[in-house]
Amino acid sequence: MEYILWILVSVLLIIVIALIFRIRIYKKQLLSFTEQIHNLRTEKRDGLLSVDSFDKDYIDLAKELQQYVDEGQELKEQSEKDRQSVKHMVAGISHDFRTPLTVAMGYIQLAEKDEGLSEETEKNLKKAYDKTKYLKELSDEFFALSIMENRSEEELSEISFKRLLENITLEQYEWTVKANMKFVADITEDPCMIRAAEVDMTRLLLNLYSNAKKYAKGSIRVYLNKDESNLTLIIENDLDEKAVIDERRVFEPFHREYVGEQGGNGLGLYITKRIVENYNGKIMAEKRDNSFSIKVILPL
């Protein structure tokens, strides 16, 4: 009886050892599949899944996973082709749309030079020019938005955000002097290198300055700092007493606040927000009693 019991225990022990060994083989193969798929996905390269086991179930699983990976790669390639196609199409449409508007503005300006125009005609021509100019600016913004939304990794490079900010800040000198604007800059000495498309960062800064120009009564403050993981940019201005701002809606498309004689197309801050979000950043607006500020945080 003891002999039979010993045999049974031995058999069970062999079975357990065999199961443990087989489970380890299965686990090793699953980990191999996980690593291979991760590499294929993150390194964006073609490749075949290797199978360490000759088990039919694993071979069938490898075939299914390979087909899934191949189909995913095909979808990525097609998506890139479609993105490029849309980009070129939008560029063509925008050009075809903006060119006649520019020509129309030129003809209106020529018509305004006619000395025999009545006062009523002059007013109508000015209205026509303003509306045409508005459409031209709107088409420019749509064009910039479409290009920015389809930005590829190859279009990005290491740029100095500080240098770009300083250059664009210098471009504001003329109008700030004419407006007798007090200008305060608190900019870090660090070059603030960031991987981005310079055209996107340029539009971001120009839009923020354009917004400050509309609302500022007598002062503008620019702040740029860098920590271990982020860039922080703040552009703050005091407020004209006529300005009405709802900071909860300033980033909505086509939302325009009352800013006296100065207007806009309502897309500037919306596009700015889209640029920031495309670079995984954050943007916030804050209104106090006599000031308004926009804060941008961009990850390094």
Side-chain angles (χ1 to χ4, degrees):
M1 188 69 179
E2 291 180 1
Y3 177 74
I4 295 175
L5 183 61
W6 183 85
I7 292 176
L8 290 174
V9 171
S10 298
V11 170
L12 287 174
L13 183 61
I14 292 172
I15 292 174
V16 170
I17 293 173
L19 286 174
I20 292 174
F21 182 73
R22 191 171 183 83
I23 290 172
R24 291 189 65 180
I25 293 176
Y26 284 169
K27 184 176 180 180
K28 180 181 179 182
Q29 184 64 72
L30 288 174
L31 291 174
S32 175
F33 282 158
T34 301
E35 183 179 358
Q36 291 180 70
I37 293 174
H38 174 77
N39 291 337
L40 289 173
R41 180 176 59 83
T42 56
E43 296 177 12
K44 300 179 181 180
R45 57 181 174 84
D46 297 327
L48 296 175
L49 293 175
S50 63
V51 183
D52 300 326
S53 170
F54 292 101
D55 188 284
K56 182 180 180 300
D57 292 336
Y58 272 108
I59 293 174
D60 291 340
L61 176 60
K63 289 179 179 178
E64 291 296 323
L65 289 174
Q66 185 68 56
Q67 183 176 353
Y68 179 79
V69 170
D70 291 343
E71 290 176 353
Q73 187 63 31
E74 290 176 3
L75 288 174
K76 283 184 178 180
E77 292 174 356
Q78 186 60 47
S79 174
E80 177 62 21
K81 290 179 181 178
D82 292 343
R83 189 186 66 80
Q84 291 294 334
S85 177
V86 169
K87 182 176 178 179
H88 293 147
M89 180 182 67
V90 169
I93 292 175
S94 178
H95 177 270
D96 292 341
F97 189 63
R98 290 184 295 169
T99 299
L101 288 173
T102 303
V103 173
M105 289 169 62
Y107 278 120
I108 293 173
Q109 287 179 313
L110 286 175
E112 288 178 326
K113 294 180 179 180
D114 191 337
E115 297 180 357
L117 296 177
S118 66
E119 185 177 342
E120 185 66 24
T121 302
E122 288 180 355
K123 289 181 180 179
N124 290 336
L125 282 173
K126 186 179 184 306
K127 290 179 182 179
Y129 179 84
D130 291 342
K131 294 298 182 182
T132 306
K133 181 181 178 183
Y134 171 75
L135 288 175
K136 170 69 165 50
E137 292 173 349
L138 202 60
S139 67
D140 290 343
E141 295 287 14
F142 274 122
F143 176 67
L145 181 61
S146 64
I147 294 298
M148 180 268 296
E149 294 283 8
N150 290 282
R151 188 78 64 204
S152 66
E153 180 67 24
E154 290 74 19
E155 296 175 271
L156 307 183
S157 62
E158 291 291 327
I159 63 172
S160 170
F161 192 86
K162 176 197 175 186
R163 175 191 59 80
L164 192 61
L165 173 61
E166 289 176 336
N167 289 343
I168 293 177
T169 298
L170 287 174
E171 294 175 6
Q172 315 306 311
Y173 177 78
E174 184 176 352
W175 74 262
T176 54
V177 170
K178 288 183 178 179
N180 197 27
M181 196 73 59
K182 180 183 178 182
F183 201 98
V184 178
D186 183 5
I187 300 176
T188 177
E189 293 298 324
D190 192 285
C192 298
M193 301 304 295
I194 184 173
R195 184 166 179 78
E198 186 166 326
V199 64
D200 289 343
M201 296 299 105
T202 298
R203 177 164 287 273
L204 181 153
L205 293 172
L206 288 175
N207 285 353
L208 291 179
Y209 270 123
S210 175
N211 186 76
K213 183 178 180 180
K214 292 175 185 176
Y215 292 105
K217 180 181 180 182
S219 67
I220 295 177
R221 182 177 76 92
V222 179
Y223 169 86
L224 176 65
N225 194 27
K226 173 188 173 183
D227 58 27
E228 294 181 357
S229 55
N230 298 301
L231 294 180
T232 299
L233 169 70
I234 300 175
I235 295 186
E236 181 181 9
N237 57 268
D238 61 355
L239 289 174
D240 186 283
E241 58 185 12
K242 295 181 180 179
V244 179
I245 303 178
D246 184 350
E247 66 268 34
R248 298 167 299 179
R249 301 189 62 194
V250 293
F251 299 115
E252 294 180 6
F254 301 108
H255 176 72
R256 292 187 287 175
E257 304 283 4
Y258 175 73
V259 288
E261 297 298 321
Q262 302 187 64
N265 53 43
L267 283 176
L269 289 183
Y270 169 72
I271 290 177
T272 302
K273 182 174 183 288
R274 294 298 303 130
I275 292 173
V276 172
E277 291 176 342
N278 276 3
Y279 287 92
N280 300 314
K282 298 179 181 179
I283 186 168
M284 296 145 278
E286 181 181 9
K287 179 182 178 295
R288 298 179 182 177
D289 293 338
N290 60 348
S291 68
F292 176 74
S293 64
I294 293 181
K295 181 178 183 180
V296 173
I297 300 175
L298 292 171
L300 298 173

